[in-house]
Amino acid sequence: DIQMTQSPSTLSASVGDRVTITCRASQNIYNWLAWYQQKPGKAPKFLIYKASSLQSGVPSRFSGSGSGTEYTLTISSLQSDDFATYYCQQAKSYPLTFGGGTKVEIK
Amino acid sequence: DVQLVESGGGLVQPGGSLRLSCGASGFTFSSSWMSWVRQAPGKGLEWVANIKEDGSVKYYLDSMKGRLTISRDNARNSLYLQMNSLRVDDTAVYYCARDYRDDHFFAYWGQGALVTVSS
């Protein structure tokens, strides 16, 4: 199984901050990575696929990068609506696996 | 608009069974891989099973294999998850999700169905 490790698990930031979340895979996943945002009591929202492609309708302040085993999600200027938990997910092989999540909190 | 609506959640005793349903609309259901993803209370996301467009291929999380059956009825635009021999640690919100482009990224999600396994 491919293990996905996110860091940090919690991040405190202020509106306007640049925020970076890291996701490491236990083996090369060849950019088969997605990012999701989840708010309490809600279903996850699809943000980025194939490591760096922005889903339609997602604000351009979100971006993804990386390759091989290391990937990042960056929010260029954090907005109040962005306080949430973020998950990465690999789709390279079964079982499909998610990272443990990164909670972005208000500082 | 794509809509996925789960139903069938509830309280079940350990060892019991439950069948979840997911009604789909706003897209060509018969052309999409579909998945179930669960989330235990206060925990992260865990993929559980998926099924190919025509139902001919199915994959399961190993730890649940033998206790789960995923199925679909393309004529009814519906996805199902039959869960047997349920355990307390199966307690979770179960989400129905649609692939983005047969790539096993989950572009669309239902609102979730809560399954509580407790005596």
Side-chain angles (χ1 to χ4, degrees):
Chain A
D1 297 5
I2 298 177
Q3 312 302 321
M4 305 299 292
T5 303
Q6 281 184 241
S7 61
S9 54
T10 307
L11 187 161
S12 296
S14 302
V15 171
D17 285 353
R18 181 181 181 86
V19 164
T20 298
I21 299 168
T22 297
C23 181
R24 287 187 176 86
S26 60
Q27 58 187 266
N28 194 337
I29 57 172
Y30 300 95
N31 289 1
W32 283 96
L33 184 100
W35 289 97
Y36 304 87
Q37 176 195 68
Q38 188 180 34
K39 296 182 179 179
K42 301 293 187 183
K45 177 184 175 182
F46 184 49
L47 298 177
I48 286 170
Y49 62 98
K50 285 304 296 289
S52 61
S53 295
L54 198 66
Q55 168 66 338
S56 175
V58 174
S60 58
R61 62 181 180 273
F62 290 91
S63 64
S65 63
S67 62
T69 61
E70 189 156 331
Y71 299 87
T72 58
L73 172 70
T74 299
I75 308 172
S76 60
S77 178
L78 197 66
Q79 302 301 300
S80 57
D81 190 48
D82 302 337
F83 291 98
T85 299
Y86 293 84
Y87 294 93
C88 61
Q89 176 238 331
Q90 67 81 18
K92 173 63 177 66
S93 66
Y94 287 101
L96 308 175
T97 47
F98 291 87
T102 296
K103 185 175 182 180
V104 177
E105 298 182 327
I106 300 172
K107 192 171 187 179
Chain B
D1 280 8
V2 172
Q3 270 208 307
L4 298 169
V5 180
E6 299 93 339
S7 59
L11 175 64
V12 60
Q13 291 191 335
S17 298
L18 206 61
R19 187 198 199 204
L20 300 180
S21 300
C22 172
S25 60
F27 65 101
T28 306
F29 182 73
S30 59
S31 298
S32 297
W33 276 80
M34 298 294 296
S35 282
W36 290 97
V37 176
R38 70 179 180 177
Q39 187 169 37
K43 303 296 185 183
L45 300 166
E46 182 175 50
W47 170 82
V48 165
N50 67 357
I51 184 169
K52 196 171 184 243
E53 296 94 328
D54 62 359
S56 62
V57 178
K58 305 173 186 181
Y59 293 97
Y60 297 97
L61 185 65
D62 273 355
S63 62
M64 297 194 78
K65 209 176 282 187
R67 299 193 295 123
L68 289 185
T69 303
I70 188 171
S71 62
R72 63 193 296 161
D73 184 339
N74 287 344
R76 295 178 182 269
N77 288 343
S78 294
L79 176 72
Y80 306 102
L81 186 67
Q82 176 69 42
M83 300 185 290
N84 301 323
S85 303
L86 282 163
R87 308 193 291 232
V88 171
D89 62 359
D90 292 320
T91 294
V93 173
Y94 286 75
Y95 294 102
C96 162
R98 196 205 96 176
D99 271 27
Y100 179 51
R101 290 172 182 166
D102 289 357
D103 44 20
H104 309 323
F105 298 131
F106 309 119
Y108 302 95
W109 298 68
Q111 86 286 354
L114 176 61
V115 173
T116 303
V117 185
S118 173
S119 54

